[in-house]
Amino acid sequence: MKQGVMQARHMGLHSSDDMFQARHIGPRERDLPAMLETIGVSSLEQLVRETVPASIRLERPLDLPPGESEHQYLTRLRRIASENRVLRSFIGLGYYDTITPAVILRNVMENPGWYTPYTPYQAEIAQGRLESLLNFQTMVSDLTGMAVANASLLDEATAAAEAMTLLHRVHTKKSAQTFLVSDRVYPQTIAVLQSRAEPLGLTVRIVDAARAEFTPDVYGLLLQYPDEAGHVEDLTGLIERAHLAGVLVAVATDLLALTLLTPPGEMGADVVVGNSQRFGVPLGYGGPHAAFFATREAYVRQAPGRVIGVSVDANGHPAYRMALQTREQHIRREKATSNICTAQALLANMAAMYAVYHGPQGLAAIATRVHTLARSVEHALGALGYRQLNEVYFDTLRIDTSGVNGATAFAVRERALAAGINFRYIGETSIGIALDETCDASDVANIVAVFASVAGVPAPGLDAASLADRPAHPYSAPLRRTSAYLTHPVFNRHHSETEMMRYIRSLDAKDIGLETSMIPLGSCTMKLNAAAEMLPVTWPEFSKLHPFAPREQAAGYSRIFRELEAALCEITGFAAVSLQPNSGAQGELAGLLVIRAYHRSRGDDERRIVLIPASAHGTNPASGVMAGMRVVVVATAPDGSVALDDLRAKAAQHEANLAALMITYPSTHGVFEDRIREVCAIVHAHGGQVYMDGANMNAQVGLTSPASIGADVCHLNLHKTFAIPHGGGGPGMGPIGVAAHLAPFLPGHPVVETGGADAIRPVAAAPYGSPSILVISYGYISMLGSDGMTAATKYALLNANYIKARLEAHYPVLYAGENGRVGHEMIFDMRAFKGAGVEEIDIAKRLMDYGFHAPTVSFPVPGTLMIEPTESEPKEELDRFCEAMIAIRGEIQAIVSGKADARDNVLKNAPHTAAMVSDDEWSHPYSRRQAAYPLPFVRANKFWPSVARIDNPYGDRNLFCVCPSADTYAEKAAV
């Protein structure tokens, strides 16, 4: 990082124990000798030398400022935050200020029990989040009038792009390649649609939807309701006309508006998408927010992302789980219909809780109040001579200033800024004003005063009675909503804070997060998400800024972006960074599109082959296909490395068309491959670029870098290496770093200028993805500093190799480097136990009885467990995990030797619930104590799974993706 930034951070006198490094890294100095002795090395430096190849190790320390204490960092960040000017923004375009109920802010958004858990692949210890996500799906399904909804997507533009591709897949006429998009769709959505369509050979045509011609090449249409200007119209006739022409229709909409307006599903829409942000999720300068995707039941198996369904457990009780998991990318790879990996689970849960707390009547009251305030503004401005252009609207007015002498958009903007107000300005005489739930009579008065000042006349009086004049329903048929919604008991029971607090806590208690115990997921880096990193996310200077506010109002954010980009450039060795991609998979897509743009700029548009090792993350091939490339798989050598002979042969075979190699480093097998530079050189020699998947950067930072190995571009999972929490399945961030020759092609944006000189179109709705959580990674880097970042990596290697050393006598380690060392993760082979009837999933479920979340199961090698401890776990927790694994090995041996029944045993019956253990009847050949308290440490901090092992096939055969009926709900509550 530049010297000036270093000088800007004043360091006071602090003891080493006061520095963040000591808070973040788990093992204490007293633990180091014993851990090193167990591994068989004399020092951390020796371990690094034996793990990271000398040819790629960095020769100098990271040029980053020294670490700050938590107090120093937060004090400095307060000054930076003050550089943001939070005006009253009435800009709209899909983003609105909102009120996060304090009970949700405190008990969900700021609660590590909700933000630290992982994606709910192990459903038995994720029932709380799964129930809440099912509430989200039910909320979306009810409000949109569609049969099914998924558990969120990254943003509205991404959801619209997924609708575009789904409609193409399900359309009966495969030769149709044109997708019509109304010119009233949000500009950021249009740009992302164009970005996503071109690589797939689809054509996006912007049209006046009312006059659209459904020619034979058209398969789909996207409409906005209410539209970008705020206008609302009945879409039934247009959708019918499209359907008669064989064209499928997606509608982007607003959930709050749908409490009053006829939902698109009742108008005949095939897919409905949008953003749930205004349901209590802060603006955050653009994110993170939970988009939604709803569709017909016939299309559910084509729906992108995650779908939560209802199944039963081993005892026949209702249980929740992720349905249709065979659609996940790690299984379908290049045949995946989407590369969606990270969703927005935490934000979806906040939106769902908002609906639970307010209920249908509360939501309708909020919507009616917003609409009434908008009507008040319209009437007052009309009295001043301004013309409102939307015949029907919900919350957004479009004001024509041309009828008022001297009133231009520029004049209004000047007066508005002086009054602390942002509007949306469209041309010289048109202004958009979007109201939201935070508005009150004073906002109406201030808005009207601005326009009155421009007109040179006194502002008309606004009495409380006129503002309170609310019609019984503001709309008439056919726009008036008549159907019921949110009728399930969950949306009608928890309206006092006491009830809501207890409901949230009851769900929290059903899940394992990092606040409970270590989550040893390989490839997922479940490290500490420090409170000092998280705290600033909710500061109003960061949380209440509209993403399309004038850039000069976001000077604090701009400073953070600059410093974070500089730090990530230093860490990666690259020349430039884009912060826009808001997931790792989206970063993969952005990186490949940048590579494609680079080749195209050189006249090499035919370079469409991407080489991907067989061991790669499943999103890699899925992203390759989405980027318009053809995937060619490179074989894996017996030691787990890339098979160089196969790589050479395929690079040579496809030389004329080779675009890139995608490779994860250290490998997905947890090993630093010694010949990685040779791998990159082979690809470069044949005209390709090297894309490094940054999923395993936690083993690189400060020791090596993507540039050092020879890569040209990489994405960085900020929700892994750089401490953004996983949120139970999101949020995530996937910025990309690029070498200098690729920097001109970094993604731009249609509303806010960003990106390179020859920028590709955006991959996300907001110009900087999910900016408010970038503050977390900024804090992580700032407080660790140069030495701390490198130390964190060393301790990640230490903890991983310590677990390997303790467990390798009990479970074979599948891959290791030449010196027998692993990177920050390792794969244990469980296939030898199949002969005794024990599967790796049995071990995963049994770990729940010991109080642990399972490691990664059957990835990247079927029949294995992939373990990553991270640097944040103390030695005591590593030892508890190892003791659990060793005890389970003894339980397996009892089955192998015949001492335990082959079918009725602690592994096959795991996990054991409190209801099972405390039941009057106990017919198993093992004791209740062995089932529930297999080791002494378990009793001291027992976690009880709320359901027994879930029947996944049953849930897929009987797909049910909304809240269970009232009868089922009451029945479950009584169990």
Side-chain angles (χ1 to χ4, degrees), residues 381 386-388 397-401 429-433 451:
L381 296 188
Y386 295 95
R387 191 162 64 100
Q388 205 283 120
L397 312 174
R398 187 157 188 167
I399 305 299
D400 178 12
T401 66
T429 60
S430 185
I431 297 171
I433 305 174
F451 283 86

Side-chain angles (χ1 to χ4, degrees), residues 12 44 115 121 142 171 217 274 315 449 468 517 527 564 612 673 682 694 775 781 921:
L44 267 179
Y115 65 69
Y121 291 115
D142 279 8
H171 198 273
D217 63 315
N315 299 318
S517 60
K527 67 170 67 181
L564 183 57
I612 301 180
E673 297 182 29
I682 291 169
V775 176
I781 294 171
E921 296 184 6

Side-chain angles (χ1 to χ4, degrees), residues 553-907:
Q553 294 173 18
Y557 263 123
S558 294
R559 180 186 297 275
I560 289 170
F561 296 159
R562 287 194 306 270
E563 293 190 19
L564 183 57
E565 287 170 3
L568 295 178
C569 283
E570 173 64 15
I571 289 165
T572 60
F574 285 141
V577 164
S578 169
L579 299 173
Q580 188 177 110
N582 58 11
S583 81
Q586 198 174 78
E588 291 174 12
L589 177 61
L592 291 176
L593 292 177
V594 164
I595 287 173
R596 193 164 164 225
Y598 166 74
H599 286 311
R600 181 176 291 172
S601 74
R602 294 158 56 87
D604 285 340
D605 193 36
E606 297 306 310
R607 290 190 176 272
R608 302 286 184 91
I609 298 290
V610 57
L611 304 178
I612 301 180
S615 64
H617 291 94
T619 53
N620 286 183
S623 296
V625 171
M626 288 179 60
M629 297 181 180
R630 182 164 71 87
V631 174
V632 174
V633 177
V634 179
T636 301
D639 65 356
S641 63
V642 174
L644 287 182
D645 290 343
D646 192 50
L647 175 65
R648 287 192 189 93
K650 286 172 176 169
Q653 177 187 352
H654 300 289
E655 180 171 30
N657 305 110
L658 180 59
L661 166 76
M662 298 186 79
I663 189 165
T664 303
Y665 198 76
S667 75
T668 312
H669 293 145
V671 177
F672 283 91
E673 297 182 29
D674 288 334
R675 303 174 73 179
I676 185 63
R677 280 189 165 176
E678 187 176 352
V679 168
C680 297
I682 291 169
V683 175
H684 288 148
H686 292 86
Q689 297 286 288
V690 175
Y691 180 99
M692 197 204 84
D693 183 317
N696 292 342
M697 276 297 294
N698 210 47
Q700 282 199 42
V701 176
L703 303 182
T704 184
S705 71
S708 296
I709 72 168
D712 301 287
V713 55
C714 78
H715 82 266
L716 301 167
N717 293 98
L718 299 189
H719 52 291
K720 293 184 180 183
T721 303
F722 297 94
I724 290 176
H726 286 66
M733 280 291 282
I736 56 171
V738 297
H741 63 283
L742 297 178
F745 308 101
L746 290 175
H749 194 273
V751 181
V752 176
E753 185 179 349
T754 188
D758 297 305
I760 62 170
R761 289 190 175 103
V763 295
Y768 300 100
S770 296
S772 67
I773 58 174
L774 291 174
V775 176
I776 300 168
S777 297
Y778 179 73
Y780 174 79
I781 294 171
S782 297
M783 289 187 284
L784 278 178
S786 177
D787 292 344
M789 294 287 288
T790 304
T793 309
K794 291 178 179 178
Y795 275 85
L797 303 184
L798 174 77
N799 284 359
N801 281 279
Y802 178 71
I803 284 183
K804 174 182 178 290
R806 285 212 59 189
L807 295 183
E808 61 187 343
H810 307 277
Y811 303 93
V813 176
L814 200 55
Y815 301 111
E818 288 186 358
N819 298 311
R821 307 302 176 203
V822 294
H824 64 318
E825 59 192 1
M826 73 224 77
I827 299 173
F828 286 103
D829 194 348
M830 306 294 164
R831 291 172 292 187
F833 308 134
K834 288 185 183 293
V838 176
E839 306 281 344
E840 67 280 2
I841 195 66
D842 298 322
I843 300 170
K845 302 306 181 187
R846 180 58 173 156
L847 272 168
M848 298 177 190
D849 289 329
Y850 288 82
F852 288 106
H853 193 293
T856 302
V857 177
S858 289
F859 175 82
V861 180
T864 66
L865 294 179
M866 189 182 194
I867 295 173
E868 178 182 354
T870 85
E871 71 276 11
S872 297
E873 296 300 339
K875 179 179 180 294
E876 292 80 4
E877 185 75 349
L878 302 181
D879 286 333
R880 279 190 289 270
F881 175 75
C882 290
E883 288 162 14
M885 290 293 292
I886 292 168
I888 290 172
R889 180 65 182 88
E891 294 169 348
I892 296 171
Q893 189 58 38
I895 299 171
V896 171
S897 66
K899 291 182 179 179
D901 188 277
R903 294 185 179 179
D904 191 359
N905 57 66
V906 288
L907 281 102

Side-chain angles (χ1 to χ4, degrees), residues 160-183:
E162 295 291 341
M164 173 181 69
T165 54
L166 177 141
L167 294 181
H168 185 254
R169 289 195 302 275
V170 302
H171 198 273
T172 56
K173 188 177 179 182
K174 300 305 178 186
S175 60
Q177 301 285 310
T178 300
F179 189 64
L180 302 184
V181 178
S182 168
D183 57 7

Side-chain angles (χ1 to χ4, degrees), residues 389-418:
L389 302 180
N390 291 330
E391 182 180 352
V392 183
Y393 57 85
F394 168 55
D395 60 5
T396 301
L397 312 174
R398 187 157 188 167
I399 305 299
D400 178 12
T401 66
S402 61
V404 176
N405 186 39
T408 65
F410 177 80
V412 172
R413 182 179 187 276
E414 194 174 52
R415 301 292 176 88
L417 288 174

Side-chain angles (χ1 to χ4, degrees), residues 171-226:
H171 198 273
T172 56
K173 188 177 179 182
K174 300 305 178 186
S175 60
Q177 301 285 310
T178 300
F179 189 64
L180 302 184
V181 178
S182 168
D183 57 7
R184 294 300 187 92
V185 169
Y186 295 143
Q188 67 271 23
T189 299
I190 292 175
V192 170
L193 288 169
Q194 292 169 328
S195 177
R196 291 278 297 273
E198 189 274 333
L200 299 176
L202 302 177
T203 299
V204 169
R205 186 183 303 159
I206 313 302
V207 297
D208 178 346
R211 297 177 174 81
E213 295 183 12
F214 300 123
T215 52
D217 63 315
V218 175
Y219 74 87
L221 167 68
L222 175 66
L223 305 170
Q224 190 92 40
Y225 169 83

